Amino acid sequence: MLNFLTENILSAIRNVNINLVYELRIRANKPVVLNYGGNYTFLGGRGITENIGGALGASYADIEKIIYRASEFSVYSVSEQLRRGFIAGANGERIGLAGEFVYENGSVLTVKDVTSLNIRVPHEVRGCGEEIYRACFMRGIANALIVSAPGRGKTTILRDLARLISSHYLINILINDERNEICACNKDYSLDTGAFTDIIRYADKRDSLVCAMRSMRPDLIITDEVVSPEEADALAACVRGGITVIASAHCKDLESLLTSPVFARVLQEKVFEYYIVLSSAGVGNLSGIYDADLRAVSGRKC
């Protein structure tokens, strides 16, 4: 995990509890920052520190070295990821990039002169989806949308729900893992998403869902971060075709979901049977569960 980091940063990371490291932010000529247990702090040579003066710094050369290491010294091999503004590490780390976006024919070609990295560290928290599973899926799988602001644990919960559902139902599950975060797969390792899961990585939802419906015959599709009306419509098409969908969305609360143009049509068509809202207080905490009519169902069996 995180072996692509520079030697000084990797050495410092080894002095902290990696299970509490959610994000690592590396900015050129600025202190290195950790999201540690849900709170931001600085990374010093001996571990976390609240003193900015004791924080490690990073240079443009450090950022360049991390990018080359994460791409296994072939930036060309990750060119499609760069078009989307990230690189995926070998163990599922997502490395977001901020810099100069280069366009060609109206589309992003690549990112160059990178000035900042946001490294999100995947965690397997077995059992974190138990409450949601008991409330929504004990009597059968159902279409559901997990809603929260970024960094509240949506991806971790999706991973655990895949494992739980696979252990209770003999159905085919297709995980659309656009950034290799849900499964954190490489050729030697994958986080536990159950025995009945197939995985499509690094493909946008339109391509992967068409491929899935035509060739993999899934009973359930699990996917992360629906960000456009077109993606929402693609999921709705899967539901209309008889495939169950569990997805996630960036909305800070139920009110934000109701006013989001991304979900206007699926809300009107009642595509999802459950809306699962995570709390802004802490990571992975449940705020409420609502049915297709947006009535609260938390606290009672579904």
Side-chain angles (χ1 to χ4, degrees):
M1 182 72 72
L2 299 173
N3 290 330
F4 49 78
L5 294 173
T6 56
E7 287 76 8
N8 63 331
I9 297 176
L10 185 58
S11 177
I13 285 289
R14 287 171 176 158
N15 291 319
V16 304
N17 184 350
I18 191 64
N19 293 319
L20 296 177
V21 177
Y22 300 149
E23 287 183 350
L24 179 64
R25 291 185 175 264
I26 300 174
R27 302 175 173 102
N29 301 323
K30 294 182 179 181
V32 177
V33 174
L34 287 181
N35 183 328
Y36 193 70
N39 299 304
Y40 285 102
T41 187
F42 298 109
L43 179 67
R46 296 183 179 181
I48 61 172
T49 176
E50 295 181 0
N51 181 10
I52 190 173
L56 293 175
S59 65
Y60 287 101
D62 291 331
I63 289 175
E64 186 176 70
K65 183 182 290 186
I66 290 169
I67 292 171
Y68 274 101
R69 286 181 171 181
S71 64
E72 298 182 346
F73 303 97
S74 175
V75 174
Y76 176 78
S77 69
V78 294
S79 58
E80 184 58 35
Q81 295 176 39
L82 287 171
R83 289 165 60 92
R84 303 183 186 189
F86 76 96
I87 297 175
N91 293 300
E93 309 96 331
R94 189 182 75 175
I95 307 166
L97 311 171
E100 182 180 343
F101 278 63
V102 179
Y103 285 80
E104 181 178 80
N105 299 324
S107 300
V108 176
L109 178 63
T110 190
V111 183
K112 69 175 187 177
D113 298 333
V114 177
T115 57
S116 299
L117 303 175
N118 176 23
I119 303 169
R120 297 184 64 178
V121 182
H123 294 287
E124 184 174 29
V125 184
R126 295 175 71 90
C128 67
E130 285 277 4
E131 182 179 0
I132 294 170
Y133 175 82
R134 290 194 301 268
C136 302
F137 308 118
M138 279 285 287
R139 297 187 179 182
I141 57 172
N143 301 299
L145 185 69
I146 300 175
V147 176
S148 83
R152 301 290 78 173
K154 295 186 297 297
T155 303
T156 306
I157 289 172
L158 284 175
R159 182 187 304 123
D160 199 50
L161 285 174
R163 180 187 64 84
L164 288 166
I165 291 170
S166 180
S167 67
H168 287 87
Y169 298 100
L170 301 182
I171 60 173
N172 297 311
I173 301 172
L174 189 286
I175 297 178
N176 173 62
D177 203 352
E178 290 180 85
R179 290 165 299 278
N180 196 29
E181 287 187 293
I182 300 175
C183 307
C185 291
N186 58 37
K187 62 183 179 181
D188 301 314
Y189 176 74
S190 174
L191 292 176
D192 184 8
T193 53
F196 292 90
T197 56
D198 304 301
I199 303 159
I200 296 178
R201 296 186 292 157
Y202 305 130
D204 63 33
K205 290 182 179 62
R206 179 191 61 188
D207 294 336
S208 65
L209 296 181
V210 169
C211 174
M213 287 189 288
R214 289 178 176 174
S215 61
M216 297 306 296
R217 201 190 66 75
D219 302 297
L220 168 65
I221 289 175
I222 294 177
T223 189
D224 211 355
E225 297 184 7
V226 181
V227 297
S228 69
E230 291 75 20
E231 291 184 351
D233 289 345
L235 294 179
C238 291
V239 173
R240 288 192 290 269
I243 301 171
T244 305
V245 170
I246 301 175
S248 72
H250 283 330
C251 292
K252 67 177 182 178
D253 50 31
L254 189 63
E255 289 72 23
S256 299
L257 176 71
L258 291 173
T259 58
S260 170
V262 173
F263 298 100
R265 185 176 299 178
V266 297
L267 284 165
Q268 182 179 12
E269 294 182 8
K270 299 183 180 180
V271 169
F272 294 105
E273 296 160 83
Y274 294 108
Y275 295 93
I276 301 157
V277 182
L278 303 184
S279 172
S280 59
V283 177
N285 294 323
L286 189 61
S287 175
I289 301 177
Y290 305 86
D291 65 13
D293 295 312
L294 303 176
R295 297 174 300 191
V297 297
S298 288
R300 64 179 175 86
K301 293 182 179 180
C302 303

Coordinates of all heavy atoms in Angstrom, one line a residue, residues 1-2 21-25 92-96 118-122 150-155 179 181 224-225 250:
M1 N 0.8 -1.2 0.0 CA 0.0 0.0 0.0 C 0.9 1.3 0.0 O 1.8 1.4 0.8 CB -0.9 0.0 1.2 CG -1.9 1.2 1.3 SD -3.2 1.1 0.1 CE -4.2 -0.3 0.8
L2 N 0.6 2.2 -0.9 CA 1.3 3.5 -1.0 C 2.7 3.4 -1.3 O 3.5 4.3 -1.0 CB 1.0 4.3 0.3 CG -0.4 4.6 0.7 CD1 -0.5 5.2 2.1 CD2 -1.0 5.6 -0.3
V21 N -5.9 6.3 7.9 CA -5.5 7.3 6.9 C -6.5 7.2 5.7 O -6.5 6.1 5.0 CB -4.1 7.0 6.4 CG1 -3.7 7.9 5.2 CG2 -3.0 7.2 7.5
Y22 N -7.3 8.2 5.6 CA -8.3 8.2 4.5 C -7.8 8.9 3.3 O -8.1 8.5 2.1 CB -9.6 8.8 5.0 CG -10.2 8.1 6.2 CD1 -11.0 8.8 7.1 CD2 -10.1 6.7 6.4 CE1 -11.6 8.2 8.2 CE2 -10.7 6.1 7.4 CZ -11.4 6.8 8.4 OH -12.0 6.2 9.4
E23 N -7.1 10.0 3.5 CA -6.6 10.8 2.3 C -5.2 11.3 2.7 O -4.9 11.6 3.9 CB -7.5 12.0 2.1 CG -8.8 11.7 1.4 CD -9.6 13.0 1.1 OE1 -9.2 14.1 1.6 OE2 -10.6 12.9 0.4
L24 N -4.4 11.5 1.7 CA -3.1 12.1 1.8 C -3.0 13.2 0.7 O -3.1 12.9 -0.5 CB -2.0 11.0 1.6 CG -0.6 11.4 1.6 CD1 -0.2 11.9 3.0 CD2 0.3 10.2 1.3
R25 N -2.9 14.4 1.1 CA -2.8 15.5 0.2 C -1.4 16.1 0.1 O -0.8 16.5 1.1 CB -3.8 16.6 0.6 CG -5.3 16.2 0.4 CD -6.3 17.3 0.7 NE -7.6 16.8 0.4 CZ -8.3 17.0 -0.7 NH1 -7.7 17.7 -1.7 NH2 -9.5 16.6 -0.9
G92 N -5.4 -0.1 -5.3 CA -6.7 0.6 -5.3 C -6.6 2.0 -4.8 O -7.7 2.7 -4.7
E93 N -5.5 2.6 -4.5 CA -5.3 4.0 -4.1 C -5.7 4.9 -5.3 O -5.2 4.6 -6.4 CB -3.9 4.3 -3.7 CG -3.3 3.4 -2.7 CD -2.5 2.3 -3.3 OE1 -2.7 1.9 -4.4 OE2 -1.5 1.8 -2.6
R94 N -6.6 5.8 -5.1 CA -6.9 6.8 -6.2 C -6.2 8.0 -6.0 O -6.3 8.7 -5.0 CB -8.4 7.1 -6.3 CG -8.8 7.9 -7.5 CD -10.2 8.2 -7.6 NE -10.6 9.3 -6.7 CZ -11.8 9.8 -6.6 NH1 -12.8 9.4 -7.3 NH2 -12.0 10.8 -5.7
I95 N -5.4 8.4 -7.0 CA -4.5 9.6 -7.0 C -5.1 10.6 -7.9 O -5.0 10.6 -9.1 CB -3.1 9.2 -7.4 CG1 -2.6 8.0 -6.6 CG2 -2.2 10.5 -7.2 CD1 -1.3 7.4 -7.2
G96 N -5.9 11.6 -7.2 CA -6.4 12.7 -8.0 C -5.4 13.7 -8.3 O -4.5 14.0 -7.5
N118 N -4.2 14.3 -4.6 CA -5.1 13.9 -3.5 C -5.2 12.3 -3.6 O -5.8 11.8 -4.4 CB -6.5 14.5 -3.7 CG -7.5 13.9 -2.6 OD1 -7.1 13.5 -1.6 ND2 -8.8 14.0 -2.9
I119 N -4.5 11.7 -2.6 CA -4.4 10.2 -2.6 C -5.4 9.7 -1.7 O -5.3 9.9 -0.4 CB -3.0 9.8 -2.2 CG1 -2.0 10.4 -3.2 CG2 -2.9 8.3 -2.3 CD1 -0.5 10.3 -2.8
R120 N -6.4 9.0 -2.2 CA -7.5 8.4 -1.3 C -7.1 6.9 -1.1 O -6.9 6.2 -2.0 CB -8.8 8.5 -2.0 CG -9.3 9.9 -2.2 CD -10.7 10.1 -2.8 NE -11.7 9.5 -1.9 CZ -13.0 9.6 -2.1 NH1 -13.4 10.1 -3.2 NH2 -13.8 9.0 -1.2
V121 N -7.1 6.5 0.1 CA -6.6 5.2 0.5 C -7.9 4.3 0.8 O -8.7 4.6 1.6 CB -5.8 5.3 1.8 CG1 -5.3 3.9 2.2 CG2 -4.6 6.3 1.6
P122 N -8.0 3.2 0.1 CA -9.1 2.3 0.3 C -9.0 1.5 1.5 O -7.9 1.1 2.0 CB -9.1 1.4 -1.0 CG -7.6 1.3 -1.3 CD -7.1 2.7 -1.0
P150 N -18.7 14.0 -0.3 CA -17.5 13.2 -0.5 C -16.8 12.8 0.8 O -16.9 13.6 1.8 CB -16.6 14.1 -1.3 CG -17.6 15.1 -2.0 CD -18.7 15.3 -1.0
G151 N -16.2 11.6 0.8 CA -15.4 11.2 2.0 C -16.2 10.7 3.2 O -15.6 10.6 4.3
R152 N -17.4 10.3 3.0 CA -18.2 9.8 4.1 C -18.3 8.3 4.1 O -19.0 7.8 5.0 CB -19.6 10.4 4.1 CG -19.7 11.9 4.1 CD -19.3 12.5 5.5 NE -17.8 12.5 5.7 CZ -17.2 13.1 6.7 NH1 -17.9 13.6 7.7 NH2 -15.9 13.0 6.8
G153 N -17.7 7.6 3.2 CA -17.7 6.1 3.3 C -18.5 5.4 2.3 O -18.8 4.2 2.5
K154 N -19.0 6.1 1.3 CA -19.9 5.4 0.3 C -19.3 4.2 -0.4 O -19.9 3.2 -0.5 CB -20.4 6.5 -0.8 CG -21.2 7.6 -0.2 CD -21.7 8.5 -1.4 CE -20.6 9.2 -2.1 NZ -19.9 10.1 -1.3
T155 N -18.1 4.4 -0.8 CA -17.4 3.3 -1.6 C -17.1 2.1 -0.7 O -17.3 1.0 -1.1 CB -16.1 3.8 -2.1 OG1 -16.3 5.0 -3.0 CG2 -15.4 2.8 -3.0
R179 N -12.7 3.6 -11.1 CA -11.4 4.1 -10.6 C -10.7 3.0 -9.8 O -9.7 3.3 -9.1 CB -11.6 5.4 -9.8 CG -12.0 6.6 -10.6 CD -12.5 7.7 -9.8 NE -13.6 7.3 -9.0 CZ -14.9 7.3 -9.5 NH1 -15.1 7.7 -10.7 NH2 -15.9 6.9 -8.7
E181 N -11.5 1.5 -7.2 CA -11.6 1.8 -5.7 C -12.5 0.8 -5.0 O -12.2 0.5 -3.8 CB -12.2 3.2 -5.5 CG -11.3 4.4 -5.9 CD -11.8 5.7 -5.5 OE1 -12.9 6.1 -6.1 OE2 -11.3 6.3 -4.5
D224 N -20.3 3.3 -8.4 CA -20.1 4.4 -7.6 C -20.3 5.7 -8.3 O -20.1 5.8 -9.5 CB -18.6 4.3 -7.1 CG -18.4 4.9 -5.7 OD1 -19.4 5.4 -5.1 OD2 -17.3 4.7 -5.1
E225 N -20.6 6.7 -7.6 CA -20.6 8.1 -8.0 C -21.3 8.4 -9.3 O -20.6 8.6 -10.4 CB -19.1 8.6 -8.0 CG -18.5 8.6 -6.6 CD -17.1 9.1 -6.6 OE1 -16.6 9.7 -7.7 OE2 -16.4 9.0 -5.6
H250 N -23.0 11.9 -5.0 CA -22.5 13.1 -4.1 C -23.6 14.1 -3.9 O -23.8 14.9 -4.8 CB -21.3 13.7 -4.8 CG -20.0 13.0 -4.7 ND1 -19.7 12.2 -3.6 CD2 -18.9 12.9 -5.5 CE1 -18.5 11.6 -3.8 NE2 -18.0 12.1 -4.9

